Each structure stands twice: as structure tokens, then as C-alpha cells.
Amino acid sequence: MLQHGSASEKNKDKNRCPVAANATEKRRSGEPAQKCKIGPVDLVFLIDSSRSVRPHEFETMRKFMIDIINTLDIGLNATRVGVVQYSSQVRTEFTLKTHARLSNIVKAINQIIPLAQGTMTGLAIRYMMNEAFTAEAGDRPKVPNVAVIVTDGRPQDRVAEVAAEAREKGIEIYAVGVARADMTSLRAMASPPFEDHVFLVESFDLIHQFGIQFQDKLCGVDLCLESDHGCEHICESTPGSYHCLCLPGYTVNDDGKTCRAIDLCAERKHNCEQICVSSPGSFTCDCNKGYKLNNDQRTCSMIDYCSFGNHSCDHECVSVLNGYRCRCNEGYRLLEDGKTCQAIDLCAEGKHDCEQICISAPGVYTCDCNNGYTLNEDEKTCTPIDLCAEGKHDCEQICVSAPGVFSCDCNKGFKLNKDKKTCTMLTSPRFCGGPTLPHLFTKPLVVVHYLQVNRFIEVWLACVSLCYGVICAFCLCVHGCEYQCVSTPGSYHCICPEGQLLQDDGRSCGTCKSANIDLVLLIDGSKSVRPQNFELVKKFVNQVVDSLDVSAHGTRVGLVQYSSRVRTEFSLNMYHTADEIKAAVMKVEYMEKGTMTGLALKHMLENSFSEAEGARPLSRNIPRIGLVFTDGRSQDDITEYAKKAKEVGITMYAVGVGKAVEDELREIASEPVEKHFYYTTDFTAISTIAENLKLSVCPEESQGEIEVKDPCACESLVEFQQATMNSLEHTYDSLMTCPLAGMTARLEQLENQLFSRK
């Protein structure tokens, strides 16, 4: 049973033209149907292939479409047909311009494979509107657009709005529902009047009835339909007759009915250089990809897109077939925009193996060294310039070397003159204006040496000149070492037992010597720090330096900056005054990029605290202190080298700010962690940390002030007298136990050796 919305069979018959009705009766009786000449139409079938459409029902739908197009005048200039299939997705089976022959359309319909999913009718209508009825798909301007929607169920999405939009664009929609189809949805999709555009049948077996009526709606009175005219292309009615015509580019065969295409390309009636594009009765020339047709419309030339001048390439434009590409000069790389070139900075990318300074040029680099170093033959590593070892100095007694510079010093018993080069022998001191203590020896090679009694008073005793002989060999009783004296050619020095440090007097031992340390600061130069905060970090470093007693023989300071790589800004032996260090700190340039704290700790352990970079030998018991300043989480592992640093005796301090991770800071810091770990949320507060930071390995030093007495006060003089008498008595007893005869003989022997050298 076929239903027309709310229209009756009587209304349906009233809309049929007599000729169309005659054609309908012929189809029902099995007679061959005449072609319906309705003029050009762009017809698209939108067919539902959801799971509810069974295979035999889909075959009925397939036959339904073939029956309809068999009655139409198919051709590029007549009726064009396209098919779109939908379920939960939408797929174009062929477009309006895909096939120009009926046989090809029938073949394509028979090859359709159902999707067998949901029923997204609204999605399919929008797809048909935006894709099927477009110029790219073969839709012709000023040619009627007709859509036939066939569905067997209720849509799973909204159809009213999108169908109205399609109708507003001029698409005439026929809605055909089968079995379970919803009449309300059909009416929402179809064009008015509904009695002409809405059809509902009980089963797919009855769908052919719509095909008959659909042809009736499209067809009008045409004499060519009343007889089997046999025209292949066009039947043109004339009063009481007709004649056959062919489409442009075709010619009528001798039978007066069939047509053949005029193919000038196949007949070689052209003069195209590369490609001949045939069209019925005509041709055009074309070129292979990457070539353009010349003005003569026959020959071809390669397209030089670079010559257009609109390529925007930074460096060089290279023409290729069907386009161009940009190329950069050597040492540059092409950016993602495909046009801009950027210099390859191997130094900034860390793709170099320079030990100290990397100098970048596009795509290449060279290595250089800091002041005081010279580049080795491998042109990568650096060696400190030792002016003392090369004899390029004018020191009278001792030359103290640092990379590229030197300073002079004197042997014990001498002081450095104002010219900073020559030395003068110390004389015995006077106390409170009193007389000097007498020399106990008068030999030319014997000078006065002293032994410290207390913090202020020194008692002078006789000892061999530090310039000659091996003092400790025959002067054990007066060298003054608290623990042990070690002889060296022409001199001696004192050492202390393990766990104690030699104090500033060079003789006594104690558990602390905070004024004499090797300090390396590791500062975070990552991108998150930002330039303005990095300047605060440098001021923080200088605050720390101001609290130290910096000198070649006192505290030494080195600075390392790290981000994605590590860079030594200056080593422990580069600068010997606080002013030099602070000036160098302010010249440090901000690195930016990542936060490789683990890599920085490794560099500190393996390089910064090496003797080559100024760290004093472990045998000297000079405390080694490392201070890490960071503002964020490390991008690599810190555990291994934080642990190793503490295992080799480096006292580690950790200072964090902002997003620094407390667990990492505590892992870096030495025990007790509370005394070696500092944190603040704001860079502006780090100056407070610098004020509170105590880089001392002796916590007791900060417990109080030491009382300083006036050495010339009566109480001090009495104390001095008593201490002096005790020391002299002890010294006398020691001298009495020394083999004086042997010492005297040894002195005379040394004198004779020296005079013989002269």
C-alpha cells in the first residue's frame, strides 16, 4: 500500500499528464518504457543502508534506483545522477560528474556495498548539501537539483533544520519511507506540497510503485515519448513528428539516430606538444605536471615559481616541478615556516666539546680559553699559563702562580716589600717600647726565630735561618710545631693529626679553620630564573664573597653556572681578591634553557675541585665547600653526584627559591640538613639568606666574641712575664736535652758549604 502524506489516490491521478499516464500503463503492462525528456536535472539518491535494511531489501532498493534512471535521459548535458549512501557515516558512491552513460551508472549501483550501521539521516542531508551538490562534484548552475531520500526507520539525529536549509538552497527533496519509517520525519525532510513529495510504502517490495509515480512527477507532455523514436542523444519533437540530434562534439551516424563522438586527439588532428585533451568535436592542449602552457596554447615550458618573486625565501629559492622550495646557505637551518633561515648556533645548543669558551659562527664554532689559559693543540682543551714555572716573573724569593698571572711572597722570617717583589728580613719585635730580646746565636748564618706564647706576645728564640739548611734536622727543640714538623729544602712546615686543622699561626692545631676554605658556587641559569632575577642571584654571590677572607693563601672562590649545560665562569685559582671576584661575577652572562643540576654536581666534583683548577691538595686539610643555588626541579638525576660529593668530604649547602623542590635541596645538603639547607619563596629575599648563611665548618665560631686584651696593660704584662718565664724554662730544658755539640758542628758544616759555593 502506497501512502502520499495525507493525499489520496484521487489527487495523485489528477496530477498526472495524459502522456505520462500512458507511459505508466505501458510499464505496468511490461511494455518498454519511453525515455522521459524533462530537460537537464541533477539528481542525487540518498539511500539508507543501516543495519535494519536486510540484504534482500537493499537489493530491492538497488533495483528501485535502476528502474528510475532507466526512464531518464542520462547524459552530461541531460540528466546527471549521483548516489550517496549513509548509516552512522556518510559515503559518496559516485558523483554527478562521475558517469555520463546509463550503463556505467547501473554498473556502479550494482557494486554498492551496504554500510550496515546506524541511521544518521540529518548528517547525511548536510553531507549531500555540502558535498554532492557542489561544482566540484558536477553540480551545474541553473540546473534543477533533485534529491530522493530513501529510509526505513526513524532518524537518530535531527533532520528538520538541516532539511530546511537544503530546501532554501534550492534542492527539491522527495522523501520515500519504507515499513518502519516515521511519517513526521518524512514530512520534515520533504519539499512542499507533501502530497507530491512524501511517499510511504509498507515494504521494500512495493517501492517500485514510487518509481512509477516519481517519473510521472518529473515528466511532462513530449511527443518523443509517444513512440519508440530510437534517438541515441536527443529527440526533438516537431508538430506531428520528431528528429534525432546529437550533443555538441558528436555527429549523427548514417542511421539518423545514433551518435558518435568526434575525437580529434585520437585522429591526431592536433598539434599539442605534450598532452592533448579530447572533448567531442574539439580538443585543448595541456602540459605535464611542473610545466605551463605557452601563449600559443600548444607548446609547454617548465614553471619557474621562483621567478615570480613572491616566494619569500630568506636565502635561496629552488624551483621544482609544480612549485618551489626554500634553501638556506651553509650554516643555517630552515625553520618550520619553510621560508625563514636561522643561523645554527652550535655553542648555544651545546653541540661542542670546548672546555672553556665556545665562539659560534653559523654552523661552525671555534674554542677559546679564559684569561690566563692557553689553547692546547687539540684546539679544545685549555692549560693554565704558569708564569712562575716559565721563569717569567721577578720575585726575589717565592713566586705564587695563578693562570696567566703571579704574585710574590717571601720565606718565613721575611716580609714582602712595597714593590711586591723583594723581601726584607724580619727583626726581633719590641713589646710596649721595651728592649729587644737578645740573640742567642751570633753566627752570620744564624737569625732570630720566634715562638708564639699567647695570642699577642711572641718570644724570640735562636734558630737557623730559614734560607739555609734543613732546620728541623737540628732545631727540633725550637721549631714551635704543636704536633709535627716536616722538613723541606731551606724551610719547614707544621702538620696536625687527622681530624684537626693547622691554625693561622702555622704551628698550633685545632678542629676549625673557617677563614681558609675552597668554595665553589653552582648557580642556576635556567630560563625560569629570568634576567632580572639572575642579577639578584649575582648580588647574592657577592654578598657571600663579602663575608669571606679571600686571598691566595686564605679562602679561594670559584663560580659555575648551569642550565642545559655547565660552564665554569672562573676557577678557584683565577682571582685572589674579593674585588676581583665580585667584578667577575657582575660580568657573568645569563645562559637560559634547562635545569641540569645533576650534571652541574658532576662537573663540580670532577673539575671544579681539581688541583688543576686551583683546589688545594687534600693533604693540606683545607675545607672544601660547595653551594648550590637553584629555583626549580632538576631535569636530571642528582642522587649519584650529591652523594659522591659528600663522600669525598665536600661540605654541601643548598639554597632554593621559588619552585625549588625541597626534597632535592635536602638530598644535596650535608648533615645536619637544617644547617646546610635554605629556602625562600621570592628572589627579593635571597639577600637575607646571604646574611644568615655561615659557610663555616666550625659552628662554634658563631657562638660569641673573643675578648681582646690590651697587650700593654699591667695585667697583660704580668701575664706575659709569667708566660715568658714558663716558655723560656721549657725551651732551656729542651735545649739542654738537644745534642748541642752535634748542632754546632752541623751549623759550621753548612757555613763552610755555603762559603765554598760563593
Side-chain angles (χ1 to χ4, degrees), residues 232-293:
E232 182 180 8
H233 281 185
I234 302 170
C235 174
E236 187 174 78
S237 295
T238 59
S241 183
Y242 69 90
H243 64 273
C244 296
L245 299 175
C246 293
L247 298 175
Y250 294 81
T251 182
V252 179
N253 291 324
D254 294 338
D255 60 7
K257 295 183 178 182
T258 59
C259 302
R260 69 175 186 277
I262 302 170
D263 189 349
L264 298 179
C265 292
E267 296 173 8
R268 296 188 178 276
K269 294 179 180 179
H270 71 90
N271 52 2
C272 299
E273 182 181 13
Q274 291 186 358
I275 300 173
C276 176
V277 180
S278 180
S279 58
S282 181
F283 72 91
T284 55
C285 295
D286 202 358
C287 299
N288 296 325
K289 192 173 182 179
Y291 293 82
K292 65 178 180 178
L293 197 63

Side-chain angles (χ1 to χ4, degrees), residues 690-742:
E691 293 172 1
N692 297 329
L693 185 64
K694 301 298 181 184
L695 296 178
S696 170
V697 293
C698 309
E700 66 273 10
E701 285 191 350
S702 61
Q703 293 177 356
E705 298 294 332
I706 298 174
E707 181 183 3
V708 179
K709 298 180 180 179
D710 181 1
C712 293
C714 181
E715 181 182 354
S716 298
L717 290 175
V718 173
E719 181 181 347
F720 161 69
Q721 181 180 7
Q722 184 62 44
T724 302
M725 293 303 297
N726 292 338
S727 178
L728 287 174
E729 288 176 4
H730 178 268
T731 303
Y732 177 79
D733 292 339
S734 299
L735 287 171
M736 292 304 97
T737 60
C738 289
L740 294 179

Side-chain angles (χ1 to χ4, degrees), residues 430-436 712:
R430 294 176 181 272
F431 298 102
C432 305
T436 61
C712 293

